[in-house]
Amino acid sequence: MCSDYFQLLSDELVVFIFQHLDSFSLFQCSHTCRRWRRLAAEKRLWERLSQRLPLLRIEELFQGDHRKACLHRAFQQKYPVNRILTTLKDSTIVTCKPDGTDIHIVAKANSQESNFKQPCWDPFGKSILFTYFHSFASHICVVVDSHGKRKELAVSTPPFYYLWLSDGHYFTFIAEHGAAPLCLYLSTVLDEIALPVELCGLNTFFFDTCSHEDYLVAHINGDTIALLNLKSIIRYHSSSHQESHRYSSKSTTTARDKEIVGNEHQVILSDHAGYFAAPQWISNKERGDFILYLEKDDNIPNREGLQADRLLLCKVNLPLLDIEYRRELGMFLGRKAFHMTSHMKYISILEESTTQVALPNVQNPTRLQVYRLDDHWNKELIVFTKEYIWNEGCIKSVCIQQFQGVRAFQWSPDHEKLLCLVIQSLEEEGREESNHRGGGRRRRRKWESYFLVLDIPQQSIYRYPNLILSSTFVCNFLPFFDQFIKSQTFWSPHSDAFCYVGQHENAKRYGIEEEQGLFVQYLFQSPQLLLRNVEYATWSPL
């Protein structure tokens, strides 16, 4: 008589039982026997698991592979990263847990290494990339992995900003090349950091990578939006390097050859790029690949001295390297920043009344609008009906469709909340008020800054205490936040908190010393001070 009654069950019954297991248990079952390995690989099991977890961003990395995505999240939950990466005032880079414990020094400033710049995580939170000043006309790009191993690459000028590709093996960056313009480069960290490959020699202002690792979109020379084929460019550079060894003549490649090669490397989406805005690549497992960008229309007259641009959503057919269709999402004025969630349900658009290149200018009015999108890309403006004010402990009934004074924003990993930084002038600017301690007079502050969190499903607003931001954040991050948010995140991986660096205006009221530091703000709690003398911080992606 059979003692293993499970072997008597049909495949359908076994799969039905398996669907009640979590990711890690299903993974263990797949290593039991051949039959269980075959049944545990059923696609419907992993699709069902993926619906239980906020895996949209992880599934993008694995191109819709539900099994890999679920297992990656399962092991991350079992051995989570969930750390905050910070830069101290003396340029030392450290990481710590969200409660401020387990502090680990990544790089400490000394006489040889100083002025560390732009530390950021790789897509899996395992390695950290940063740049430091070494000597005149010499900077070093460094990658430090979770075991402390360092890989270095010397560059003549520090990168302006850089992005990892989704596999974590390559990163791209923009840097000057002597007297040349801002060039776009690609480098690998598989063994050692390889010498970078020049992807574009023209002025490249912004770029974004896709989840397929073989393409990226770039805003080039102020007037062009181009789709770049990375594999084609790398093959061309490899063959050119081999040819240079075979032929000593430098005139082997004609201008016509370069033009043909250029056409093979890239597809021009627009040669009338909109006003200085970072394009966005959106990879959606159900709908495919899209690129969101601005395009100038010469038939639309400027209004009040501000350039009017059309916001276009472009569907890309990557196998054919062709454009399937374009859809206009509206016309917007001035300096613009925009971001669509990867599930393509929401889009946020920020307009600033300025002709300056970089955001923000706190003297100019801004308008942030958040839209809900249907299956046909029609926009519905979201109205927020409740406002929670943390430091007053009250709830207001409000009806807000747009937000004034927003200078930067970032979507949470679950795509349900939008973090907004507000910097605006006070109504009674310049008014004098009495100083109760000294009996003298002092001028009222002219500006205030604070964070808002917009909860989209609840249509609610959460306002947090006023603060003074760090100079590094204001000078380096804020002017080009729409590019930096592609590699820097202030949200926790679980979308329940965000981190920031600053100093509270009424710190003593909350029992905090008036000193600049790293804070973690959970949505329904008081801010927690983790570290002092901090200049900048970003949360790990997982």
Side-chain angles (χ1 to χ4, degrees), residues 434-441:
S434 61
N435 187 331
H436 297 290
R437 291 183 179 179
R441 310 286 290 183

Side-chain angles (χ1 to χ4, degrees), residues 160-161 174 182 203-207 219-222 276 483:
F160 187 43
Y161 37 64
I174 290 177
L182 292 173
N203 264 319
T204 305
F205 299 114
F206 304 102
F207 67 101
H219 187 293
I220 302 171
N221 232 30
F276 216 77
Q483 177 69 44

